[in-house]
Structure formats: structure tokens, C-alpha cells
Amino acid sequence: MTDVEHLLEQLSLEEKVSLLAGQDFWSLPAIERIGLRSLVMSDGPIGVRGVGWAPDDPSIALPSPTALAAAWDVELAERAGQLLGQESRRKGVHLLLGPTVNLQRTPLGGRHFECYSEDPLLSGEIAVGFVRGVQQHGVGTTVKHLVGNDFETDRMEVDVRIGDRALREIYLAPFERVVDEGGWGVMSAYNSVNGQSMAQNGPIQDEILKREWGFDGIVVSDWRAARSTVGAALGGLDIAMPALESPWGEKLVAAVRAGDVPEEVVDDKVRRVLRLAQRVGVLDGGPAVTPPGDLDGDAVAHEVAARSFVLVRNENYALPLEPAALTKVAVIGALAADARVLGGGSAQVSPPHVISPLDGLKERLPGVDVEYAVGADPRPFLPAAHGPGWSPTTVTLGDYSFLVDPAAVRWIGSLPGGLDPAGIDEIRLETTFTPDTEGEHTFAVSGFGTFELRVADELLYEGTLHPPGATRADLLLSPREERVTKTLEAGVPVPVVIRQSIARGMAHTVSTTLGHRAPGPDDEGLIAEAVRLAAGSDVAVIVVGTTEQTESEGFDRTTLALPGRQDELVSRVAAANPRTVVVVNAGSPVLMPWAGEVAATLLTWFPGQEAGAALADVLLGVTEPGGRLPTTWPRLEQDCPVLAVEPNEGVVAYEEGIFVGYRGWLRSGVAPLYAFGHGHGYTTWQYDELNVNETEAVVTLTNTGARAGREVVQVYVGPSPVDPDRPERWLAGFANVEALPEETVTVRIPLPPRTFESWADGGWQRRTGDYRVIAAHALDDPRLTATLTV
């Protein structure tokens, strides 16, 4: 093993400081004379993008982190991590920027889908599995965003006020769990907590994380979150990213020489960077890594998706469908054909393929008439041009060209082909469209920048799509769209060209999409068409959901209602066909005013590249829906115990304290539409016996249904009698069991010491007394209860 102290002694102050900041957007510099190579980072909650957008090197897209948590399976989370560790190695990435363990405090949180759960224990356990899997490949993780980044509004400046007890018991708990299990990295958040910016929050980053918890890894800033030279240096931050607008470099060298920052503080940071470099294999003499065997990315993506789907309603056993009994199936909804398989923002990758719900059902039902109707289109932007009539789009940057399909490009960091941003001042997208419908076609350009759009050699749009003063981060997360129309003849090919002008050196951040919509019925006509199709079909499958413009990193939601006329569509189709199955594809709760009108409802959480194949398997009973709710779904917005995210004079106060998520629902006494932990399978379970002590709960249960199945056994604990100072009950442990029909199984579920502790007077206090220990199918579905005296 290389002696880090020996290497540290060889470095000048300038060299030390160079290792503490990005040399570009995604990497740290090399120092070859000590055997140190460049350490590369990448976004990676659901796939490994790499340092740039490479259409010839796509990234496997797993389902969203909320989907992974919905499976309630630590081993599955580990397998997902192993796959992304494998992908990281393939793409030359050493540090993966994830997982996100911020709490789903409010369903309006724009980044809700990138977080695991409203519960700290479930979040922590899934994160531990994921981190363990990634790091088995010698790839680091950065659990993020420390801490209080539970919403997006004014996230760069807002001060989040969290009481000590809630900070320890709820918000820091999943971070602490990952640190205890040996996570190698932490990312600090943009926001402030209790008056101090997290990038320089010494009480949390230095005193709690490093000193109290004994964390020996690195703390990296969120991108451009570090804004103070001395403050960040003394506040526990180790790496300031990216190179752009870094407060360190020469400024930090000067601060050390002026005595404002002790050199031993810099040395501690460099030790951590070198230790990480050893762990990930970019420093000579580090430990050899023997990664687990190769995983099939498609298979893992399919498994996670199917296991995450939550069947929240299944009246009269409407599901699974029996293919032999079907002659005609109606598939309805714009999102059934244009699948949204990942959330917006830094979680985005370009997958090798995407299987839509429509394509998945067609593939699995070869002898059945599967017909499609749009019904209602919630997308505020036109979808990227692709499909029948469209040739692949040629993208040209300088002398370099490549093909894409659909007609969209998006990247942050390195350019395709390794091009130098300084040499690029224009991007062209060129394709040919042969319409099969005569009439007025609508075209659109969306993204940010200055554009020209030509159709059939006619200039239809010329202008700039961004407001004055907007940052490039704002533009990337909140693009604009401009639409134009042109009448075209059926069967006559026309060239379509977008030309985007780019300021020299700014091509490192690009987002451009060519959108299209063919002539067709108006909104009312689309719904009427769907109702007619449903009325003549054996079953109607409607796919509804949110869009990138309503649920994404960078902004919070303003309502829990589904966008557009999707609610109306569901109600009218359900009235026409009593066997209506609704697939809700959203990363966070939405309102479902039609919940009692439909036969079945399945939640799918942005399900990754295998979306349609996994959905078809679940609907047809090839696979059981394995998911349980990792977050509470309300009946009405006003019922939510925590909802608003708007700062008041720059502050968001977490006044609910520890009563967040289902803890708050229990205190309010209001019943949600679907409780935490809820979800149906395709079999039934009888809970036979519960035995408990202070370290574990032992549960015996029997599969009483007609088919093999999986059950998520949930153990909740609460004081007896109820203590108003504590939640009525909280999740203490969980486990997955599988059994054949009539088979009895026993599972042992550990109860961690924190189950019976609270934070008070500056430390963890054991709370003695009587506790109810509940083995449950869901929070609101207790099966067995025992009393334990502690």
C-alpha cells in the first residue's frame, strides 16, 4: 500500500491545493511524479453519463431511485449498485455522484423522484445496499446532498432551519447509516442549514461528519456551491467543483500563506483525496480490486422496474390479465407511446433503447389486437421528432458529425468526439421528413440559445430562446420552446434543419430538440377517440403521469394534480369500460380523483429503459408487482402534513420537527388515499406468529394464495401508551420473503439500537418503557402485535 503521508511530504502547497478543485467540469488533476492519475466524476443516480454526452456510448438507464426504494429490497439495491459500478468502470469514471438520501419531506419537491423515501431508515438501508454494490467495483460514491436539500425553490440561497432533534433523528440519519457502512464520499448541498451555507458548514461537515462519525472519505461540493475561499476551507469541504468559478486555486494558496487557513487543514483534505485515489485505483500502489461478475444491464433494469411497481388498487382481481381471454386491448395516453423513463435534471442519461408501454404490450400480446389512442397529451413541449416518416438526424459540430434518433441533443461537460468547446460556434441538426398526413404540421425548437429553423428550405423561426440574465444551469433545467406551422403534402419528403449559434467556449452546455406534431383532432376529439376505442375493447390500459416540465430538478411542483386533461380522460374511459387499468408514471405522489372509478391502478416511478417490457410482464402476471409505497399518497393536497416549499424572507423552517411523512399523517389523524408501505401482490398472506426482543423481531407467515409470491414484512415500533412527544409508530425494520402456495416461512428482522433512542440534551438517550412491536403488511394494515419492555 502506498504511504499517503510520504506522498504528502513530496507535494508543494500549490500542488496540494490543485488536488482540491476541479481541473475542468468533471475531474481532478493528475500529478504523475507521485503516481497519481486524474480522478473522474460523473452524475449517476440511475445511470452513468460519463464526462460528456456520447451518442455512440449510451448509458444503461435504471428506474428512478424512488423505484428502487419501492422494491424495499437491500440486495436488489446492491445489485443495482453493482451494475452502475460496472458501468462506471466501463466509462472510465471513478466517483459516482450519488445516491441521494434527502428525505421526501413534501410531495411538491421537484427532485422527489431522485430521493428514496420519506422514511430515514428505509432511505438509509437502500442507500447502503446501493453504495456497497458500487464500491465493490472500486468506484466511489458520494451520498448527497448534506443536508436539508429536500426541495428546489431558491436552493442556492435558502436557509433551512432544522431543530437538533429532527436533524439527528430524521435528516442526518441516512447519511450516518452510509458512513457507518464505509461510504467513501459525501456531497454537500447548495442550501444553508441553521444560518451557515452547507459548503462551509463546520458544525455539520467537520464536527459531526468527520469528528463524531469518524468519516475518512471526501466531502465534495455540489457544482458551484462553494463560494467562499476561507469559509469553505475551514468548514469541512475537501473538493470544490467544478473549475468554473472555483473559490480555491490561487486564492486558497494565498489564504494559507496569509495565515487565514492553516496548512494542516489543507493537508487533511489532501490525505482524503489521496486515500480516495487509492481506493478507486488512480494512485499507484493502491489495493487490487476484484469486481463481481458481469451483470446484464437490461436484465437488472427489467428486474428493478418490475419489483418496484406498486399495485395500489386491484378490484375484483382485475389484474393480472389473462392473454388467452383477450381479443382487443386499448392502450391510451400520450405517455404510453412516448415513455418517460427517467426524471429531469442531473439524473438524465441517454439509454441504448427505451421500451414504451405500448411497444411492451404489443410484444407480449402477439395474437391480440392492441390498438392505441392518444386520449390526452399533457406534454407542454412537442416530443422530439422520430418514428415513421423521419430519417435519423445528423448532428454536425465543425467537421464532426453523428446520428441521433430522436432529434435531440443534450450534454454538460465534454463534447461529442472530444471536440474543444473553444472551436465550436455552431451546431446543426438536419433530417428529412416524409409526412403520411396532408395538412398543417407543427414544428418546434426547444432548448436555450439562438436558433434558426427551416422546413422545406423556408425559414420559419429565427430568434433567441432564453431570458436575459439567466444562468446556463437555469437554462438547462428550464428550457424554452418556440412553435411554427407549415402545410405539407402527404408522401413528399422535406428537409428540416435547425442551426444553433453558440458563443465561443460555451459549447460545454447544450440542449436542443426538434419537436413535431402531425395534424389531428383537437383535445376534445382526442378524448372522444379514446373513449370509443375503450368501449369496444376487452380492457383499457391508460398511462398517465407528469412531464419533465412539471417534475424535475431545478424547480418544485406547484400542484399535485396531473397536468392537462388526464384526470378527465381516466374518468371518461372508466365510464365506458369497467375494466380500466391506470398506470401512473410519476416520480412522486399525484392526486387521483378517479381512484374509486377504475378497476386497477399501478404506480411505475419513471421505470427506466425496460419500462414497457416490465410493465407488460406485471400486467400479464408473468411477474408479480413487488413494490410497496416508500412515501404516503394523499387524497387531497390540503391533507398533507407538510406541503409548502416557498421561503419566507429567505428561510424555510421545518416547524413540524420529527413529524415528517407518515409520522405527520399519524399525528394529524387524517387518512391518506394510500398509506406508507401499501401495495398488493397477486397472492395473499397470513401472518402466523411474532416473537420479539430488543435486537430482533421474528415473524412467521404463510402464503395462502394460489400462486408463488413475495411479501415485504414491515416492522413498526411505538411507545405504549402513545407519547405525544414521539411518533405514534415508526419503521424499525423490514425484510422480503418468498413462498410457494401454502408454504410457511420465518424471517428474522434486526431492530437497530436507535429504535429505542431519541436525541436529547446533545446526545442519544435510551427511552425505557413499554413498546408495541407490530408486524404489518403496511403502516395501516397491522397483522400481529407484541409488547416489549425496554
Side-chain angles (χ1 to χ4, degrees):
M1 182 77 70
T2 299
D3 184 350
V4 168
E5 292 300 322
H6 176 66
L7 296 182
L8 189 60
E9 293 171 359
Q10 300 178 45
L11 299 176
S12 67
L13 175 60
E14 287 80 4
E15 287 175 317
K16 293 175 187 177
V17 168
S18 74
L19 296 178
L20 306 182
Q23 65 177 344
D24 51 29
F25 209 84
W26 295 115
S27 69
L28 299 182
I31 302 180
E32 295 181 2
R33 67 182 181 81
I34 65 167
L36 178 65
R37 294 170 292 285
S38 178
L39 188 149
V40 177
M41 311 177 195
S42 172
D43 281 324
I46 57 98
V48 184
R49 185 190 303 123
V51 298
W53 184 73
D56 56 344
D57 185 21
S59 305
I60 291 170
L62 294 177
S64 70
T66 300
L68 192 59
W72 289 63
D73 189 333
V74 176
E75 291 183 0
L76 183 63
E78 183 173 340
R79 195 148 58 250
Q82 288 172 343
L83 176 65
L84 295 194
Q86 176 179 302
E87 280 279 279
S88 296
R89 280 296 179 188
R90 183 178 68 81
K91 284 179 170 282
V93 168
H94 310 110
L95 187 65
L96 201 60
L97 303 176
T100 302
V101 297
N102 296 114
L103 271 288
Q104 294 171 340
R105 175 177 174 264
T106 163
L108 288 179
R111 216 166 176 175
H112 194 289
F113 61 86
E114 198 178 314
C115 309
Y116 288 129
S117 172
E118 66 186 31
D119 179 77
L121 184 136
L122 178 57
S123 295
E125 293 305 309
I126 298 302
V128 162
F130 181 86
V131 167
R132 185 185 300 135
V134 173
Q135 294 185 175
Q136 284 169 13
H137 284 271
V139 174
T141 55
T142 58
V143 61
K144 63 183 188 181
H145 308 83
L146 186 74
V147 62
N149 184 189
D150 310 301
F151 57 96
E152 294 293 282
T153 301
D154 197 21
R155 64 178 180 171
M156 299 291 289
E157 305 294 341
V158 67
D159 183 19
V160 179
R161 304 284 174 84
I162 312 176
D164 285 347
R165 185 181 176 193
L167 185 64
R168 294 289 192 147
E169 293 187 20
I170 304 295
Y171 297 100
L172 286 178
F175 291 93
E176 184 179 8
R177 183 74 180 92
V178 172
V179 168
D180 284 346
E181 286 293 316
W184 296 346
V186 171
M187 180 186 289
S188 63
Y190 287 121
N191 53 277
S192 296
V193 170
N194 297 332
Q196 291 194 49
S197 168
M198 276 310 307
Q200 57 190 67
N201 196 310
I204 293 176
Q205 293 187 153
D206 189 48
E207 295 175 22
I208 295 177
L209 174 64
K210 293 181 176 179
R211 300 180 189 274
E212 181 183 326
W213 295 352
F215 176 61
D216 69 354
I218 56 94
V219 180
V220 60
S221 72
D222 206 338
W223 265 229
R224 300 172 70 189
R227 285 159 270 174
S228 164
T229 300
V230 175
L234 298 180
L237 190 71
D238 298 312
I239 301 172
M241 292 295 291
L244 184 68
E245 298 179 9
S246 173
W248 284 358
E250 293 180 359
K251 296 177 183 177
L252 182 53
V253 171
V256 173
R257 290 191 167 136
D260 296 327
V261 175
E263 189 163 356
E264 54 264 31
V265 170
V266 171
D267 288 349
D268 178 71
K269 301 177 192 303
V270 176
R271 283 188 194 96
R272 293 170 182 273
V273 171
L274 294 176
R275 189 181 298 129
L276 176 64
Q278 279 189 330
R279 288 167 167 168
V280 303
V282 297
L283 181 63
D284 289 348
V289 175
T290 305
D294 285 348
L295 292 173
D296 182 324
D298 291 350
V300 175
H302 189 290
E303 181 185 14
V304 174
R307 288 286 314 284
S308 73
F309 293 167
V310 181
L311 184 60
V312 292
R313 178 177 172 86
N314 194 20
E315 290 300 291
N316 300 317
Y317 303 101
L319 293 178
L321 303 174
E322 176 52 59
L326 300 173
T327 58
K328 185 176 182 179
V329 173
V331 179
I332 297 168
L335 303 182
D338 182 18
R340 187 181 184 199
V341 300
L342 42 77
S346 62
Q348 289 186 320
V349 297
S350 298
H353 61 262
V354 171
I355 303 173
S356 71
L358 177 61
D359 289 340
L361 282 166
K362 285 183 173 179
E363 172 69 22
R364 295 297 196 274
L365 293 171
V368 177
D369 182 13
V370 178
E371 294 193 22
Y372 172 68
V374 172
D377 191 343
R379 298 167 297 185
F381 285 14
L382 296 186
H386 73 289
W390 288 94
S391 67
T393 299
T394 299
V395 181
T396 303
L397 298 89
D399 296 329
Y400 180 72
S401 296
F402 56 92
L403 296 177
V404 297
D405 188 20
V409 294
R410 179 187 176 103
W411 64 77
I412 311 172
S414 299
L415 274 63
L419 298 175
D420 182 356
I424 301 300
D425 59 7
E426 179 180 292
I427 298 174
R428 292 172 64 90
L429 280 68
E430 301 175 82
T431 183
T432 300
F433 177 50
T434 306
D436 59 9
T437 305
E438 183 171 345
E440 189 174 76
H441 289 251
T442 303
F443 297 87
V445 57
S446 62
F448 59 89
T450 299
F451 298 92
E452 291 180 0
L453 171 60
R454 295 178 182 270
V455 179
D457 298 320
E458 180 183 350
L459 180 63
L460 296 183
Y461 171 73
E462 183 176 19
T464 299
L465 288 180
H466 59 78
T471 68
R472 295 187 75 78
D474 292 336
L475 297 172
L476 190 68
L477 295 171
S478 303
R480 304 291 191 268
E481 181 191 59
E482 186 71 27
R483 298 185 184 187
V484 293
T485 60
K486 185 169 179 63
T487 301
L488 301 177
E489 296 181 38
V492 177
V494 295
V496 183
V497 179
I498 287 179
R499 175 181 173 270
Q500 180 179 3
S501 300
I502 298 179
R504 289 279 179 171
M506 300 303 289
H508 54 70
T509 308
V510 165
S511 177
T512 304
T513 299
L514 168 65
H516 172 256
R517 183 175 62 201
D522 60 12
D523 290 350
E524 179 60 33
L526 290 173
I527 294 179
E529 184 177 75
V531 170
R532 287 193 296 272
L533 175 60
S537 301
D538 301 315
V539 61
V541 178
I542 310 177
V543 181
V544 298
T546 58
T547 69
E548 189 176 341
Q549 289 74 37
T550 56
E551 188 178 7
S552 172
E553 178 187 352
F555 55 87
D556 291 309
R557 298 164 69 192
T558 57
T559 175
L560 299 184
L562 286 169
R565 297 176 66 176
Q566 294 181 101
D567 287 333
E568 179 186 353
L569 170 69
V570 172
S571 290
R572 288 172 62 175
V573 167
N577 188 329
R579 199 174 189 190
T580 292
V581 176
V582 182
V583 177
V584 180
N585 188 30
S588 53
V590 299
L591 301 179
M592 297 188 283
W594 37 261
E597 303 169 20
V598 301
T601 305
L602 188 70
L603 312 182
T604 61
W605 316 108
F606 304 153
Q609 65 186 47
E610 294 291 308
L615 176 64
D617 279 354
V618 168
L619 293 179
L620 300 175
V622 176
T623 304
E624 184 180 37
R628 304 292 184 265
L629 287 181
T631 188
T632 307
W633 280 52
R635 191 179 306 275
L636 300 170
E637 272 187 27
Q638 57 265 36
D639 292 342
C640 296
V642 180
L643 190 66
V645 294
E646 287 293 329
N648 181 9
E649 297 184 353
V651 171
V652 170
Y654 287 17
E655 295 176 345
E656 72 282 355
I658 62 170
F659 293 95
V660 64
Y662 64 82
R663 292 165 168 80
W665 283 94
L666 288 171
R667 184 171 68 163
S668 74
V670 176
L673 180 61
Y674 298 118
F676 180 82
H678 172 73
H680 301 294
Y682 288 155
T683 188
T684 55
W685 295 87
Q686 174 181 296
Y687 282 58
D688 302 317
E689 188 176 1
L690 168 65
N691 293 291
V692 301
N693 58 46
E694 291 186 24
T695 61
E696 69 175 1
V698 183
V699 184
T700 300
L701 62 165
T702 302
N703 180 353
T704 54
R707 57 181 285 164
R710 181 190 301 265
E711 173 73 336
V712 178
V713 181
Q714 303 164 37
V715 174
Y716 297 90
V717 171
S720 180
V722 173
D723 179 354
D725 183 52
R726 306 177 77 187
E728 181 180 319
R729 56 189 180 275
W730 54 87
L731 182 69
F734 61 92
N736 283 255
V737 298
E738 296 182 13
L740 298 171
E742 303 305 320
E743 182 182 3
T744 297
V745 292
T746 297
V747 62
R748 311 182 82 91
I749 301 175
L751 301 180
R754 290 280 170 83
T755 302
F756 309 106
E757 296 177 347
S758 291
W759 183 266
D761 300 323
W764 290 101
Q765 307 294 327
R766 184 171 170 82
R767 305 289 291 268
T768 59
D770 291 340
Y771 288 86
R772 290 172 297 111
V773 181
I774 305 163
H777 175 75
L779 180 74
D780 63 348
D781 188 1
R783 299 295 177 89
L784 295 172
T785 303
T787 299
L788 176 67
T789 300
V790 173

